[in-house]
Amino acid sequence: MNSDTLLFIWTTLMEIATLLCAYLGLRLFRHNWKLRMAIIVVPLLMNGILYAVYRTTVFFYLGVILLLCLPFVWPRKSA
């Protein structure tokens, strides 16, 4: 496989993973905040690594989407 094909596959996989993990992290697991945080942080780190490797803005913006989800997952003092 050449570089353009790999970039297309990684971009498609990370777009789907980002949207799916953002939804799962924000909606499904209500009581376990560590699991919710892990669901969002793992694809965030992957997007950061792929941005460093390929230098395309797609991975940067996918990381920004996940960063915007983090304050809604962070545990409150009352919880």
Side-chain angles (χ1 to χ4, degrees):
M1 283 200 255
N2 60 8
S3 178
D4 292 335
T5 306
L6 283 175
L7 178 62
F8 175 75
I9 290 171
W10 276 115
T11 303
T12 305
L13 286 175
M14 290 312 295
E15 285 175 353
I16 293 169
T18 297
L19 294 175
L20 185 66
C21 290
Y23 179 77
L24 288 175
L26 291 174
R27 295 283 179 189
L28 289 183
F29 302 102
R30 297 245 182 229
H31 300 292
N32 193 352
W33 68 270
K34 291 179 185 177
L35 178 62
R36 293 172 67 191
M37 191 71 73
I39 287 174
I40 292 181
V41 168
V42 170
L44 176 64
L45 292 175
M46 282 296 299
N47 282 322
I49 291 169
L50 289 171
Y51 175 70
V53 170
Y54 288 108
R55 292 288 180 195
T56 58
T57 58
V58 174
F59 299 117
F60 175 76
Y61 290 127
L62 291 173
V64 168
I65 290 170
L66 291 171
L67 277 175
L68 290 173
C69 293
L70 279 180
F72 298 104
V73 176
W74 200 265
R76 298 183 307 253
K77 289 182 181 178
S78 63

